[in-house]
Amino acid sequence: MKKDLKKKVTYASLLVALGIIYGDIGTSPLYVLKAIVGDREISELLVYGGVSCVFWTLVFQTSIKYIWLTLKADNEGEGGVFSLYALVRRYGKKLVIPTILGATTLLADGIITPPISVASAVEGLTMVKGLEHIPTVPIVVVILTILFFFQRFGTNKVGAVFGPVMFVWFSMLFILGGSQILDHPQVLNALNPKYAYDLLVKYPGGFWLLGAVFLATTGAEALYSDLGHCGRENIRISWMFVKVCLVINYLGQAAWLMGHQEQFLLGRNPFFEIMPSWFLIIGINIATLAAIIASQALISGSYTLISEAMNMNFWPRVKVKQPTDFKGQIYIPSVNTMLW
């Protein structure tokens, strides 16, 4: 019997969706615009074009592809690349190739997300007076090592705070971005797709900036992978809130950048630059917590992915443990070591 994907929508269920699904894509503002601008001179074409590309990527890649289309392709209420493969494998044996490629890219996301997210959050410490030269790499290594060490004990006890923390995180994104847009409302013009087109066609090497733009939508596959945990309606409703907060923050960072035209970032991160100085320490702590939650989501997702791969004989048999009595929670020591 097909599972009911129209799970009851409540404040609690929406919070759970925020905590489980949006860690990776939700922490993208920490590094996307910094990656797009890089060491290039700040200009309207670069900034408006970059934000326009990010916005339309979220529209087409996330909203249309995942939220509207892919969520319909459930397999007995479950989502994910292997569930999708189970639905379509009768149409040809060669479909196993894109299935394995999809699984490997998701696993790769589980490898790169923890260091990128946590490092981007911790680097904010260098903006605090007196900490300009603090070595951030050892701090990141310690945080990640502790995170991977505690995987063996399960996450059900701390998982209850994931949703509220992510709600605070997205609210912070909205407020910080909105305050900058009020100072530079012209940045809303960046939503015009013409700027995205101009970046790709007119900016030197603009097409290759799509690699940085794509960072804005990494983790979107979690919307589909966690379909069985959260339900279709909870995902779709919560995404409306998340998308607004993300877009507002990207626009806010762009507004700050437009106030520094004909300059270079010189290592600065526009995400932290839009924070008031008195809020910096608080913001860094919230960002670090959000990055840890994003990492946890990808780590747990990697365990589930490998478990499903073993069931379909796509991965060698390895030891799988259940760290708690919480339903569905697993721990795979070999995968944990590999990711760490």
Side-chain angles (χ1 to χ4, degrees):
M1 184 176 179
K2 193 171 183 177
K3 293 182 182 179
D4 181 15
L5 287 181
K6 294 184 178 179
K7 294 185 178 181
K8 187 176 181 180
V9 177
T10 63
Y11 288 117
S13 64
L14 293 174
L15 273 179
V16 169
L18 284 180
I20 292 177
I21 297 174
Y22 298 109
D24 190 2
I25 194 171
T27 52
S28 296
L30 279 167
Y31 45 79
V32 169
L33 274 187
K34 182 182 178 183
I36 291 173
V37 176
D39 57 0
R40 302 170 185 87
E41 184 176 335
I42 299 171
S43 65
E44 182 177 296
L45 178 59
L46 176 62
V47 175
Y48 279 18
V51 172
S52 187
C53 283
V54 167
F55 173 73
W56 290 104
T57 297
L58 291 176
V59 170
F60 289 112
Q61 169 79 356
T62 312
S63 297
I64 295 178
K65 176 185 173 183
Y66 282 106
I67 295 294
W68 178 67
L69 182 62
T70 312
L71 288 185
K72 296 180 180 179
D74 66 284
N75 180 23
E76 297 297 326
E78 296 296 331
V81 63
F82 289 121
S83 294
L84 185 60
Y85 173 67
L87 288 174
V88 301
R89 59 182 170 183
R90 63 180 178 274
Y91 296 109
K93 293 182 179 179
K94 291 184 179 179
L95 289 172
V96 68
I97 297 174
T99 299
I100 293 176
L101 287 175
T104 54
T105 53
L106 180 57
L107 193 59
D109 200 14
I111 294 174
I112 68 171
T113 292
I116 290 178
S117 299
V118 176
S120 298
V122 172
E123 75 172 6
L125 289 172
T126 59
M127 293 182 57
V128 179
K129 189 174 182 180
L131 299 178
E132 292 87 353
H133 303 292
I134 188 173
T136 57
V137 173
I139 298 174
V140 174
V141 172
V142 169
I143 291 174
L144 292 177
T145 300
I146 293 173
L147 177 64
F148 281 105
F149 175 78
F150 278 97
Q151 294 302 311
R152 67 195 67 199
F153 304 115
T155 59
N156 58 315
K157 290 183 179 179
V158 296
V161 304
F162 284 2
V165 169
M166 292 309 294
F167 177 77
V168 171
W169 165 253
F170 287 118
S171 300
M172 184 183 79
L173 294 184
F174 181 88
I175 294 170
L176 292 175
S179 65
Q180 295 295 316
I181 294 174
L182 291 176
D183 292 336
H184 191 84
Q186 298 91 335
V187 76
L188 295 173
N189 293 328
L191 300 182
N192 187 333
K194 175 183 179 297
Y195 287 101
Y197 174 82
D198 288 343
L199 177 72
L200 300 180
V201 174
K202 298 179 180 180
Y203 192 83
F207 180 81
W208 302 108
L209 291 178
L210 287 178
V213 170
F214 189 74
L215 291 172
T217 192
T218 55
E221 62 276 357
L223 301 175
Y224 181 48
S225 300
D226 289 306
L227 178 60
H229 294 107
C230 300
R232 185 180 294 141
E233 294 306 312
N234 283 304
I235 294 174
R236 285 177 170 170
I237 292 173
S238 58
W239 170 244
M240 290 188 287
F241 167 70
V242 169
K243 183 180 177 180
V244 169
C245 294
L246 290 175
V247 171
I248 291 295
N249 192 263
Y250 284 126
L251 288 170
Q253 292 186 49
W256 179 85
L257 286 167
M258 291 308 297
H260 297 76
Q261 290 190 63
E262 300 179 359
Q263 296 184 28
F264 298 87
L265 274 180
L266 299 176
R268 292 177 296 175
N269 189 335
F271 177 82
F272 292 109
E273 293 291 341
I274 66 176
M275 288 185 184
S277 57
W278 61 266
F279 185 74
L280 200 53
I281 291 293
I282 300 173
I284 292 170
N285 285 327
I286 296 174
T288 303
L289 287 175
I292 290 172
I293 291 172
S295 304
Q296 179 60 57
L298 268 297
I299 294 168
S300 298
S302 298
Y303 298 154
T304 302
L305 184 74
I306 295 301
S307 177
E308 292 174 347
M310 285 192 293
N311 292 335
M312 303 188 79
N313 295 319
F314 290 156
W315 190 273
R317 293 286 168 181
V318 294
K319 183 184 294 185
V320 178
K321 297 182 178 180
Q322 287 186 304
T324 67
D325 294 331
F326 189 73
K327 183 180 179 181
Q329 189 168 96
I330 59 174
Y331 166 66
I332 304 179
S334 58
V335 174
N336 191 67
T337 302
M338 178 181 68
L339 293 178
W340 175 67

